Amino acid sequence: MLTTMTDLNQTLFNRAARVIPGGVNSPVRAFRAVGGTPRFVQRAQGAYFWDANGQKYIDYIGSWGPMILGHGNPVVLEAVQKAALDGFSFGAPTEREIELAEEILKHVPSMEMVRLVSSGTEAGMSALRLARGATGRSKIIKFEGCYHGHADALLVKAGSGLATFGNPTSAGVPPEVVQHTLVLEYNNVAQLEEAFQLHGKELACVMIEPIAGNMNFVRASVPFMKRCRELCTEYGALFVFDEVMTGFRVALGSAQSVYAQLIPGFQPDITVLGKVIGGGMPLAAFGGPRAIMQQLAPTGPVYQAGTLSGNPVATACGLATLKEIAKPGFWDSLSARTHSLVHGLSAAAAKAGVPFSADCQGGMFGFFLLPELPQNYAKVMTSDSPKFNKLFHGLLDRGVYIAPALYEAGFVSAAHTEADIAQTVAAAAEVFAQL
Ligand code: KE4
């Protein structure tokens, strides 16, 4: 167990809370769902970070997805240092934005063009405006438990953050802003059919997390995904894949390449990306067919802009990251490591008689203290929060850092070793025995 005389994390947290709301710049970091003191990161390297007390942790958050290579990858670091020497930001086009765009398009064939922005929220918000502008329609469908960033129209029964606070919508979002947003149950084909029968011709888009990482880890079933695609095509609505979390994280071709193997010819219309494509720097993107993307300013009527969009240092970080994960063998090795973690945790839970179900794809994993994998938000909500909180803190005390919220996914990086996995599983076995 870890004990420290003066907990410098608490000292920093108290100081932070005086000048930053909740002491954090993003709610989930405050540990509100799990209780206790957030760990203030002093530095990170590979699969680890060290907190204000100098305590080391195996990091399974990796900045909520971006750090797929692990922290401080030397190739990426060198690219960033080199780019910084040439200038931080110009507000003018650069060659590297073209290189990053070309690299993204190479791996995501559903996209012919892409626009770079600075956050997943900005990308999702812009994709929504594009879908509405391109179709001339206002209504949209999203699914309960999915989170697409905090743009007003999308902040309705979001899965991340808000679900943890049990607050299905946010204050400050006027009812008229969300009146066009239909929230359906994930994986519910009947409800989807009904919504299209009622509103199909008014629908600008259906927006979905193909693997819902904001409900921890819930896959869209093949029949459900197939039906979303068919109905969007039939009614002229655009199918928007929010791959901010799954993009370049579950596979080099992102989640859409996983579904294209299960549903021949499957492609979404618009894809939203973030996290991994920035390699940890503020960078996100959205893209799709040329005919749709040309609707964006300055070539079309849908306005969208950004001072730091395509930032030269962030694009260097993202491009170096994508080049590394495209190297032969990367995905076999990463997937093997993630599977080894999930199998180890499942075996440890079974041995301790703890109800447990887990799933993973590429470098992303999730688990539930439930006997079987939940298929939607309501089922995820039946999870035993107090028990999860005990697991969270038991692991944290043993130097293993998983998401401080039941509804968040976990991430393995290329820097995580089998020894790290073994240490994690051993720690979990101890905690499961106490549950
Ligand atoms: P950002 O604006 O946080 O870059 O991206 C928003 C977003 C959009 N779409 C999906 C599928 C996402 O998962 C996210 C952000 N994910 C959360 C973690 N669940 C970021 C962590 C946080 O909010 O602090």
Side-chain angles (χ1 to χ4, degrees):
M1 302 297 261
L2 306 163
T3 54
T4 47
M5 296 305 285
T6 315
D7 180 356
L8 295 177
N9 292 307
Q10 190 59 51
T11 309
L12 286 172
F13 196 35
N14 297 340
R15 188 174 140 212
R18 285 198 288 276
V19 291
I20 301 172
V24 291
N25 285 308
S26 199
V28 72
R29 304 177 189 173
F31 276 25
R32 286 286 172 107
V34 293
T37 305
R39 296 320 192 248
F40 279 65
V41 178
Q42 204 161 54
R43 69 182 180 89
Q45 184 59 44
Y48 318 118
F49 76 78
W50 286 260
D51 72 8
N53 298 323
Q55 180 58 48
K56 178 182 177 183
Y57 298 88
I58 303 174
D59 181 10
Y60 287 105
I61 295 187
S63 177
W64 300 97
M67 308 319 295
I68 193 166
L69 295 172
H71 297 287
N73 175 280
V75 173
V76 178
L77 183 59
E78 190 190 344
V80 169
Q81 288 170 325
K82 195 164 167 295
L85 289 173
D86 293 338
F88 287 5
S89 182
F90 314 119
T94 62
E95 183 180 2
R96 194 155 46 241
E97 289 161 81
I98 311 168
E99 290 174 304
L100 179 57
E102 290 168 345
E103 188 68 19
I104 290 170
L105 298 180
K106 191 162 77 175
H107 300 299
V108 188
S110 67
M111 302 202 299
E112 292 177 314
M113 298 190 96
V114 64
R115 170 62 59 86
L116 303 179
V117 296
S118 299
S119 76
T121 292
E122 191 182 357
M125 174 183 76
S126 304
L128 173 58
R129 185 179 314 128
L130 176 60
R132 285 172 158 167
T135 59
R137 302 176 180 180
S138 302
K139 288 210 177 327
I140 65 171
I141 285 177
K142 75 172 290 289
F143 300 95
E144 194 176 39
C146 289
Y147 174 66
H148 304 295
H150 59 88
D152 279 358
L154 291 164
L155 206 53
V156 185
K157 290 189 183 173
S160 168
L162 289 168
T164 309
F165 301 137
N167 168 5
T169 59
S170 169
V173 177
E176 57 271 19
V177 168
V178 295
Q179 66 187 334
H180 299 302
T181 307
L182 297 173
V183 184
L184 305 182
E185 183 176 78
Y186 200 79
N187 278 325
N188 185 326
V189 175
Q191 227 188 39
L192 184 75
E193 300 267 9
E194 186 192 0
F196 267 90
Q197 270 147 27
L198 289 172
H199 309 288
K201 285 290 172 216
E202 303 163 87
L203 283 169
C205 68
V206 170
M207 197 163 192
I208 192 168
E209 283 187 67
I211 297 175
N214 287 287
M215 287 191 261
N216 196 313
F217 195 107
V218 180
R219 292 176 191 269
S221 73
V222 171
F224 178 67
M225 188 61 92
K226 205 157 174 282
R227 208 64 196 112
C228 283
R229 177 64 277 173
E230 288 166 353
L231 287 165
C232 281
T233 303
E234 187 182 336
Y235 285 87
L238 294 175
F239 197 13
V240 181
F241 249 39
D242 181 345
E243 296 225 45
V244 167
M245 192 186 291
T246 54
F248 295 93
R249 170 53 77 167
V250 300
L252 184 57
S254 304
Q256 54 195 271
S257 67
V258 175
Y259 281 95
Q261 283 172 344
L262 301 166
I263 307 168
F266 177 86
Q267 282 194 334
D269 295 309
I270 296 175
T271 298
V272 186
L273 295 167
K275 295 181 194 268
V276 170
I277 65 166
M281 301 285 281
L283 191 147
F286 63 105
R290 193 176 302 284
I292 295 175
M293 294 303 287
Q294 298 275 33
Q295 304 278 320
L296 281 172
T299 48
V302 180
Y303 193 69
Q304 192 278 335
T307 301
L308 298 176
S309 296
N311 173 273
V313 182
T315 50
C317 192
L319 185 59
T321 300
L322 294 192
K323 294 277 188 198
E324 286 302 301
I325 68 172
K327 284 183 177 169
F330 178 86
W331 288 93
D332 291 343
S333 151
L334 181 66
S335 303
R337 201 61 42 80
T338 313
H339 274 96
S340 147
L341 173 67
V342 165
H343 290 151
L345 292 175
S346 304
K351 192 155 175 280
V354 172
F356 187 89
S357 53
D359 193 357
C360 66
Q361 186 78 39
M364 181 170 157
F365 70 92
F367 65 80
F368 301 88
L369 297 179
L370 294 169
E372 54 190 56
L373 285 170
Q375 296 304 311
N376 59 43
Y377 181 70
K379 294 237 182 57
V380 170
M381 290 295 276
T382 65
S383 299
D384 182 335
S385 275
K387 203 187 263 186
F388 172 80
N389 295 353
K390 278 206 195 98
L391 173 63
F392 173 81
H393 282 289
L395 290 173
L396 195 66
D397 289 345
R398 290 166 175 79
V400 175
Y401 191 73
I402 65 168
L406 182 68
Y407 311 106
E408 298 288 359
F411 305 96
V412 173
S413 82
H416 285 77
T417 64
E418 277 303 339
D420 294 323
I421 304 296
Q423 184 184 328
T424 303
V425 170
E430 283 180 22
V431 183
F432 284 143
Q434 293 167 1
L435 288 187

